[in-house]
């Protein structure tokens, strides 16, 4: 890979982040509602008290100056303090991001484990009953709203059958000291099997909700590209060499057929890492998306701005990694 | 075979081969009653227009006709065995090991995601026992230098797109010949190459044929190449063999009007001063063919008798033609 390519990509980040910041800033500034009023709530505060709070939060400045100040601070890594949490914004985000990352990783693992074998099988047995079932199932999966599936899972497995917890990441009784913030990982590092199992128990339903939708999409991508690859001359030539079926599929076909799957999966990972508002809300998952939504309701401007900025950075970085991955799989492309 | 020569057992003997495709317009009989013998050590040319069934005939030999197509009947004997009766596993041991096949476009026939080295090594490993006397790497290197790839040790680690068209064709040949097959089916090995490279690749193929004692079937559109490289020619038309015999005598005195048309349409072969005439019309749809000569609609000398099923007639001298009056004779 050329160094120039990396630099180019980093430079592209500048206008993207500036644009995202501006849009978010405009949106929160134009939304009605006064953070000071919300914070003071029902407390009977004097106008003087309110005014000093306003100054403290930097809300007394005109909007353009507020934006310039935000950008200047952000450049030095200072995202300010959360109005609502009354702590540095960076701290709040660092606490919530691992939850979203954990959910993303498990969802993606579920999606890949389902979609690749099914997609390959559907392509190999094209037109068979199995192919048709898989195709219909993936159609349902793609078109099913995530919140609906989530609610159905909760109603059936948590409320009705009582097999699954309704919400949260882990029971209080199993909490472990924080290392990475990803409970599954932390519990393993610390050898706490009970915590690991409990966290797994909690993550299954939200991860399945996200994973199924993703699996449906990835299966369609895998099936389509596998069908295309299987018709290529190089598969016929490999077959004429006397290679066995397994070798033909795993080595000659899959390596080419997975190029689009991996690319789409990487892009979807970037999307998931931004957090899924609906799933995090339905399952009470304390992730990045939910904290941003809460921030919007409480007019917590610094938190919302920094949160969205973090999502944008993650998204762009994952896109970059997807490009790198693409070239690793496809020797014809050089970056 | 000529009456004077001692009868030689064919290496490959195809009888009454039927290969069909189920398509939207109906059942396509892409290969319909084909009889072909290939003799040990010869280089036989198979010619015919696009769609005449050349590729499907020889894909059938390797059991590689894919859905929506299938082998609907006939027998394929190779070296004393009936290939159509083999299990999948047994057939796999024939493919690449005893009968190898190369295809027209080496760019699309080599896997873009695998190095050239791994693509040649895998066929060697597939067919040579693990305790083979020589490591596969050494054999692969030797094969690549045999087909004229300079610095094979470096080139092994490269991908197909890093080679020129002619080099890729050589690599495909090296892969096909890696296990020293008895029979090589070269399906249009040079159609994708320009003329000078064409000659280089074919000369290489012929040199290797002598060196390795191989039998070769050269499938091509180009009767000129057959005239230059093949001792015997088989002419196919619309899923049937319409004429076969020693190349010289077929070209000097074609018995079937289609063969005559093919020769007339090639400048190198038509006599000096004669006008080049392409054959009028098109190959018929292979669906719902009537029981008549398939060339009838395009034939300049068609007559009433051509409306019946035409058998192959033996013309002597190893020649056969599927025509009611071969060579214009009565
Ligand atoms: N996958 C397929 N589906 C449907 N019909 C097919 C398929 N492959 C081949 N055929 C039929 O078989 C006929 C013969 O095809 P074949 O590839 O053997 O021709 P060919 O003589 O090798 O022609 P070319 O010179 O173009 O390679 C075609 O005209 C077509 O009707
Ligand atoms: Mg062909």
């Amino acid at each position: 890979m050329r160094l120039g390519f990396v630099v180019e990509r980093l430079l592209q980040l500048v206008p993207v982040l500036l644009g995202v910041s501006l849009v978010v800033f405009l949106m929160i500034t134009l939304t009605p509602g006064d953070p000071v009023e919300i914070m003071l709530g029902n407390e009977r505060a004097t106008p003087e008290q309110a005014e000093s709070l306003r100054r403290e939060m930097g809300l007394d400045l005109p909007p353009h100056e507020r934006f310039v100040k935000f950008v200047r601070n952000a450049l030095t890594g200072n995202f300010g303090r959360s109005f609502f949490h009354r702590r540095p914004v960076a701290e709040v985000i660092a606490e919530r991001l691992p939850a979203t990352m954990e959910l993303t990783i498990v969802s993606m693992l579920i999606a890949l484990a389902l979609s690749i074998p099914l997609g390959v099988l559907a392509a190999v047995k094209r037109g068979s009953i199995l192919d048709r079932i898989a195709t219909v199932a993936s159609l349902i999966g793609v078109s099913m709203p995530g919140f609906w599936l989530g609610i159905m899972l909760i109603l059936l497995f948590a409320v009705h059958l009582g097999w699954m917890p309704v919400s949260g990441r882990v029971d209080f009784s199993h909490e472990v000291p924080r290392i990475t913030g990803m409970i599954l990982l932390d519990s393993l590092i610390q050898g706490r099997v009970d915590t690991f199992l409990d966290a797994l128990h909690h993550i299954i339903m939200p991860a399945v909700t996200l994973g199924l939708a993703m699996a449906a999409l990835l299966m369609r991508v895998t099936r389509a590209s596998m069908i295309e690859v299987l018709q290529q001359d190089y598969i016929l030539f490999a077959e004429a060499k006397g290679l066995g079926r397994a070798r033909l599929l795993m080595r000659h076909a899959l390596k080419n057929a997975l190029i689009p799957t991996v690319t789409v999966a990487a892009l979807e990972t970037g999307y998931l890492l931004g957090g899924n508002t609906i799933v995090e809300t339905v399952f009470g998952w304390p992730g990045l998306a939910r904290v941003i939504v809460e921030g919007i309701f409480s007019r917590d401007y610094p938190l919302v701005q920094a949160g969205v900025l973090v999502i944008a950075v993650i998204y762009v970085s994952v896109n970059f990694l997807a490009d790198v991955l693409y070239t690793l799989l496809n020797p014809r492309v050089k970056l | 075979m000529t009456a004077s020569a001692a009868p030689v057992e064919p290496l490959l003997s195809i009888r009454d081969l039927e290969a069909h495709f189920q398509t939207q317009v109906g059942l396509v009989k892409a290969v319909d009653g084909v009889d072909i013998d290939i003799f040990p050590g010869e280089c036989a040319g198979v010619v015919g227009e696009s769609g005449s069934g050349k590729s499907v005939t020889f894909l059938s030999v390797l059991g590689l006709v894919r859905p929506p197509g299938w082998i609907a009947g006939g027998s394929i004997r190779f070296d004393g065995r009936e290939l159509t009766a083999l299990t999948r596993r047994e057939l796999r041991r024939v493919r690449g090991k005893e009968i190898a096949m190369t295809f027209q476009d080496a760019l699309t026939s080599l896997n873009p995601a695998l190095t050239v080295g791994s693509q040649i090594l895998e066929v060697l490993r597939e067919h040579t026992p693990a305790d083979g006397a020589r490591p596969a790497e050494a054999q692969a290197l030797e094969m690549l230098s045999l087909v004229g790839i300079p610095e094979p040790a470096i080139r092994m680690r490269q991908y197909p797109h890093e080679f020129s068209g002619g080099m890729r064709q050589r690599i495909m040949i090296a892969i096909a010949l890696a296990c020293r097959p008895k029979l090589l089916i070269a399906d249009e090995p040079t159609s994708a190459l320009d003329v000078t490279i064409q000659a280089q690749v074919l000369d290489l193929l012929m040199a290797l044929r002598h060196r390795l004692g191989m039998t070769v079937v050269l499938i091509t559109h180009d009767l000129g190449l057959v005239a230059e490289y093949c001792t015997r020619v088989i002419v196919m038309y619309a899923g049937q063999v319409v004429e076969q015999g020693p190349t010289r005598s077929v070209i000097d005195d074609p018995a079937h009007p289609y063969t005559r048309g093919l020769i007339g349409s090639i400048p190198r072969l038509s006599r000096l001063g004669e006008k080049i005439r392409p054959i009028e019309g098109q190959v018929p749809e292979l669906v719902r063919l009537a029981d008549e000569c398939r060339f009838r609609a395009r034939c300049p000398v068609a007559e009433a008798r051509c409306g019946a099923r035409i058998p192959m007639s033996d013309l002597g001298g190893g020649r056969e033609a599927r025509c009611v009056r071969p060579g214009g004779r009565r």
Side-chain angles (χ1 to χ4, degrees), chain A residues 89-101:
Chain A
V89 164
E91 219 177 278
V92 178
I93 289 175
E95 203 175 277
R96 297 300 192 98
L97 189 57
T100 293
M101 279 167 65

Side-chain angles (χ1 to χ4, degrees), chain A residues 253-311:
Chain A
L254 205 56
K255 184 145 188 236
N256 289 288
L258 283 188
I259 295 173
T261 309
V262 168
T263 311
V264 173
L267 294 180
E268 288 292 323
T269 303
Y271 173 73
L272 279 184
L273 279 175
N276 185 303
T277 317
I278 290 165
V279 169
E280 288 188 1
T281 305
V282 168
F283 288 97
W285 194 261
L288 187 60
R290 209 161 61 115
V291 86
I292 292 176
V293 171
E294 288 163 4
I296 292 171
F297 285 127
S298 59
R299 299 293 180 277
D300 194 344
Y301 296 169
L303 181 60
V304 173
Q305 283 207 311
V308 174
L309 211 56
V310 166
I311 290 177

Side-chain angles (χ1 to χ4, degrees), chain A residues 191-320:
Chain A
R192 289 281 301 272
V193 178
D194 61 319
T195 308
F196 180 79
L197 291 178
D198 186 62
L200 201 60
H201 201 192
H202 277 83
I203 206 171
I204 285 177
M205 289 207 301
V208 163
T209 304
L210 285 176
L212 279 186
M214 205 73 62
L217 173 70
L218 290 177
M219 195 212 98
R220 289 159 71 89
V221 172
T222 307
R223 177 182 179 272
S225 77
M226 191 73 179
I227 284 175
E228 160 138 14
V229 165
L230 286 175
Q231 285 164 348
Q232 297 297 311
D233 287 349
Y234 57 79
I235 298 297
L236 190 64
F237 186 55
E239 214 171 351
K241 285 167 28 180
L243 302 186
R245 190 110 189 114
R247 224 182 149 71
L248 215 61
L249 286 180
M250 302 312 288
R251 210 170 118 85
H252 281 265
L254 205 56
K255 184 145 188 236
N256 289 288
L258 283 188
I259 295 173
T261 309
V262 168
T263 311
V264 173
L267 294 180
E268 288 292 323
T269 303
Y271 173 73
L272 279 184
L273 279 175
N276 185 303
T277 317
I278 290 165
V279 169
E280 288 188 1
T281 305
V282 168
F283 288 97
W285 194 261
L288 187 60
R290 209 161 61 115
V291 86
I292 292 176
V293 171
E294 288 163 4
I296 292 171
F297 285 127
S298 59
R299 299 293 180 277
D300 194 344
Y301 296 169
L303 181 60
V304 173
Q305 283 207 311
V308 174
L309 211 56
V310 166
I311 290 177
V313 171
I314 290 175
Y315 194 78
V316 174
S317 322
V318 172
N319 261 286
F320 171 72

Side-chain angles (χ1 to χ4, degrees), chain B residues 225-265:
Chain B
L225 290 183
V226 173
E228 206 166 325
Y229 293 99
C230 303
T231 43
R232 222 157 50 82
V233 60
I234 295 148
V235 183
M236 290 191 67
Y237 185 76
Q240 294 181 327
V241 174
V242 294
E243 173 157 14
Q244 60 175 321
T247 314
R248 264 287 43 103
S249 94
V250 170
I251 288 177
D252 287 346
D253 178 23
H256 197 284
Y258 176 64
T259 316
R260 232 173 295 148
L262 274 185
I263 294 169
S265 63

Side-chain angles (χ1 to χ4, degrees), chain B residues 1-328:
Chain B
M1 294 305 319
T2 53
S4 55
V8 183
E9 274 290 300
L11 178 65
L12 175 72
S13 180
I14 302 172
R15 287 291 171 272
D16 295 322
L17 184 67
E18 296 282 336
H20 298 171
F21 286 86
Q22 191 63 57
T23 67
Q24 261 136 12
V25 288
L27 185 70
V28 170
K29 298 187 173 178
V31 176
D32 191 13
V34 162
D35 294 348
I36 290 175
D37 283 330
I38 304 294
F39 295 94
E42 78 171 332
C43 175
V46 178
V47 288
E49 278 165 289
S50 193
S52 53
K54 308 179 296 291
S55 297
V56 174
T57 299
F58 285 92
L59 284 171
S60 306
V61 171
L62 286 175
L64 288 178
V65 180
R66 297 160 146 186
W70 71 96
I71 297 176
S75 129
I76 301 166
R77 291 194 71 78
F78 173 77
D79 208 19
R81 270 163 305 160
E82 176 60 45
L83 296 187
T84 54
L86 296 188
T87 62
R88 260 165 80 146
R89 195 177 194 78
E90 289 166 333
L91 196 56
R92 261 181 49 204
R93 262 181 250 132
V94 174
R95 292 179 189 155
K97 169 81 178 132
E98 295 182 67
I99 307 177
M101 189 157 177
T102 62
F103 299 105
Q104 172 169 349
D105 189 350
L107 181 59
T108 59
S109 300
L110 295 173
N111 194 322
L114 301 175
T115 61
V116 160
S118 74
Q119 296 188 59
I120 184 165
L121 284 172
E122 72 181 347
V123 66
L124 285 162
R125 297 208 171 106
E126 184 74 39
H127 294 297
T128 40
D131 61 329
R134 271 195 324 142
E137 283 81 4
Q139 293 183 49
L141 283 175
E142 186 195 313
M143 207 60 232
L144 285 174
S145 44
L146 209 56
V147 298
I149 305 287
E151 300 189 277
I154 296 169
R155 299 299 242 165
M156 290 258 282
R157 288 193 296 272
Q158 296 184 331
Y159 290 91
H161 71 272
E162 298 173 72
F163 292 82
S164 69
M167 282 295 161
R168 276 196 291 265
Q169 199 67 37
R170 285 164 193 263
I171 289 164
M172 180 151 67
I173 291 171
I175 294 173
L177 301 187
C179 295
R180 312 289 154 107
K182 297 190 182 97
L183 175 64
L184 172 70
I185 300 162
D187 192 349
E188 311 205 18
T190 56
S191 311
L193 305 175
D194 56 51
V195 183
T196 46
I197 313 284
Q198 243 181 42
Q200 284 176 14
V201 169
L202 282 174
D203 289 341
L204 167 75
L205 208 56
M206 292 306 135
L208 290 171
R209 173 167 84 94
H210 290 298
R211 188 166 169 159
L212 307 176
M214 229 174 11
T215 308
V216 172
V217 173
L218 179 65
I219 301 176
T220 173
H221 289 127
D222 188 346
L223 202 51
L225 290 183
V226 173
E228 206 166 325
Y229 293 99
C230 303
T231 43
R232 222 157 50 82
V233 60
I234 295 148
V235 183
M236 290 191 67
Y237 185 76
Q240 294 181 327
V241 174
V242 294
E243 173 157 14
Q244 60 175 321
T247 314
R248 264 287 43 103
S249 94
V250 170
I251 288 177
D252 287 346
D253 178 23
H256 197 284
Y258 176 64
T259 316
R260 232 173 295 148
L262 274 185
I263 294 169
S265 63
I266 299 172
R268 275 187 283 170
L269 292 180
S270 35
R271 296 200 179 81
L272 216 63
E274 240 175 77
K275 253 185 89 180
I276 298 157
R277 266 164 305 170
I279 311 173
E280 303 274 319
Q282 281 163 4
V283 185
E285 290 283 335
L286 298 175
V287 192
R288 290 183 290 276
L289 283 170
D291 237 355
E292 58 171 15
C293 174
R294 296 192 175 171
F295 191 56
R296 188 182 182 190
R298 300 168 79 185
C299 184
V301 294
E303 52 184 79
R305 283 187 291 166
C306 303
R309 197 186 139 73
I310 318 290
M312 205 66 159
S313 352
D314 191 338
L315 308 178
R319 294 192 52 182
E320 288 181 329
R322 197 182 288 278
C323 183
V324 292
R325 39 174 224 166

